[in-house]
Amino acid sequence: MQRTILYVEGTLDAELLFLLFDGTPLVLSAGSKNALAPVVFREREKTNLQHRVFYLRDRDFDYDPPADFPDIPQEDRKDNSGRVLGWRWCRHEMENYLLDPVLACASLGMDAPTYERFLLSSAERILYYEASRWALGKARRSLPPSYEFRTRPDSIPPRVEFYLPEDLSEEMQRGWMIEQTNTFSGRIFEALDVSRIEEDRKCYQKRLKKEGLNGTSGILLWFSGKDLLKAMTQEQSCARAWAGSPKCLRRCLLEEARKRKDILKDLFPEWEALSRCLSSEGGDRA
């Protein structure tokens, strides 16, 4: 029987999406976000498309938040035939959904205005840290993957198994090695230029103040949910049982999501849109 399998990064994602889909599609944890696409490639090849396999990842600092359609998962990558391999969330990471006011207010025993002030205070406290993380994340996007530092001439297709250059002299091979190194390191130095990263930090700082602190929705779109959880547990005015323990706070929010699993699709239009994405790609209807 053909079925749909959705790979995600961690156990939190798997738990929440299990609540959402109730086992259809099957949600499995694959670990690192960098492992997701290779896992899907491998599974599709291994099963010869007997099962429909996709992935879903956090957006993190790898992409700026989408300017339009913030309630639709973004296509993350396609295969050579144009089929979608996977999607990424619009919000920063899964914790950003748990921090939604409907879940958080009920879990923390706060009314909406109090929670919004609490969340805003936490976001303001970590604003400069987040701006620096965004700048570094943008720089990382331009870094060449390590596997692109090839030990053979770039003109040789990767799938060619047997190759030797015509001139194997020490002088020629030393020159080629130096050229290969300089080309690769030049891309790294350009991506990690400190003055360029500092300019990006200033730009992100302005965007965070203008867009990120523009209400709860802006905070949950731009700020790392894990960083917000940590900042919230450090608030001096907070004397709750989970104070000082972001994991404990996250667990409380997760329990609230479990209690309210029937409203998750209504609460998060993006999650309902994920169901439609999986269906439109030939998946089981969730």
Side-chain angles (χ1 to χ4, degrees):
M1 177 181 176
Q2 192 176 51
R3 70 183 309 177
T4 299
I5 301 172
L6 182 66
Y7 283 96
V8 296
E9 294 182 50
T11 55
L12 176 64
D13 306 65
E15 285 186 65
L16 277 169
L17 291 177
F18 179 82
L19 292 176
L20 180 69
F21 294 129
D22 199 24
T24 304
L26 178 64
V27 181
L28 300 174
S29 175
S32 166
K33 63 187 175 186
N34 297 319
L36 290 171
V39 165
V40 171
F41 267 120
R42 184 178 67 247
E43 289 302 306
R44 286 186 180 181
E45 190 173 87
K46 184 172 69 175
T47 63
N48 195 25
L49 300 182
Q50 182 180 4
H51 300 304
R52 301 179 181 100
V53 189
F54 305 94
Y55 72 81
L56 179 69
R57 55 156 290 181
D58 292 339
R59 193 197 72 233
D60 295 331
F61 296 98
D62 299 323
Y63 304 88
D64 284 8
D68 301 313
F69 309 113
D71 288 329
I72 299 177
Q74 306 296 291
E75 288 185 4
D76 191 65
R77 189 172 171 183
K78 293 184 176 181
D79 62 19
N80 294 332
S81 66
R83 293 186 69 218
V84 174
L85 286 170
W87 297 270
R88 59 179 179 269
W89 291 122
C90 288
R91 293 187 187 180
H92 193 93
E93 54 196 345
M94 184 57 83
E95 284 81 357
N96 291 64
Y97 296 92
L98 289 177
L99 287 167
D100 192 87
V102 172
L103 297 178
C105 287
S107 178
L108 308 182
M110 295 181 180
D111 57 37
T114 301
Y115 175 68
E116 288 172 6
R117 289 194 298 270
F118 184 47
L119 186 65
L120 177 61
S121 174
S122 300
E124 288 176 332
R125 185 163 165 264
I126 63 175
L127 183 140
Y128 301 123
Y129 176 57
E130 297 298 289
S132 294
R133 293 197 72 188
W134 271 112
L136 292 174
K138 183 178 179 181
R140 186 175 59 187
R141 301 172 204 172
S142 302
L143 286 173
S146 59
Y147 60 80
E148 286 189 7
F149 189 25
R150 300 183 61 192
T151 62
R152 301 198 302 176
D154 291 336
S155 59
I156 307 305
R159 293 187 179 275
V160 173
E161 290 186 81
F162 304 104
Y163 167 81
L164 283 176
E166 292 184 8
D167 189 341
L168 291 168
S169 66
E170 179 182 5
E171 181 181 2
M172 182 62 70
Q173 295 313 306
R174 179 178 180 275
W176 163 72
M177 180 199 70
I178 292 173
E179 179 183 2
Q180 190 87 336
T181 303
N182 286 337
T183 299
F184 191 81
S185 62
R187 294 173 62 191
I188 294 176
F189 291 143
E190 182 180 0
L192 299 184
D193 179 74
V194 174
S195 60
R196 176 179 167 182
I197 295 176
E198 169 60 9
E199 284 303 310
D200 286 334
R201 186 195 65 80
K202 292 178 181 177
C203 289
Y204 276 115
Q205 190 169 297
K206 290 179 181 178
R207 292 189 70 180
L208 288 176
K209 288 181 178 179
K210 181 180 179 181
E211 302 174 40
L213 296 179
N214 185 23
T216 300
S217 59
I219 293 172
L220 296 180
L221 194 65
W222 277 95
F223 286 74
S224 161
K226 291 184 179 68
D227 292 345
L228 287 169
L229 286 170
K230 180 66 175 179
M232 291 167 72
T233 59
Q234 291 179 336
E235 285 285 333
Q236 294 298 316
S237 60
C238 178
R240 296 177 180 275
W242 42 257
S245 174
K247 286 186 178 180
C248 186
L249 174 53
R250 184 172 62 185
R251 196 178 309 119
C252 292
L253 295 169
L254 178 58
E255 285 303 316
E256 191 62 37
R258 287 198 181 102
K259 295 177 187 176
R260 296 170 175 254
K261 67 177 184 177
D262 293 336
I263 70 165
L264 291 178
K265 285 187 179 180
D266 293 330
L267 182 59
F268 303 122
E270 186 182 353
W271 292 22
E272 171 62 30
L274 175 63
S275 297
R276 296 195 299 271
C277 288
L278 287 166
S279 298
S280 66
E281 287 295 323
D284 300 331
R285 189 170 298 275

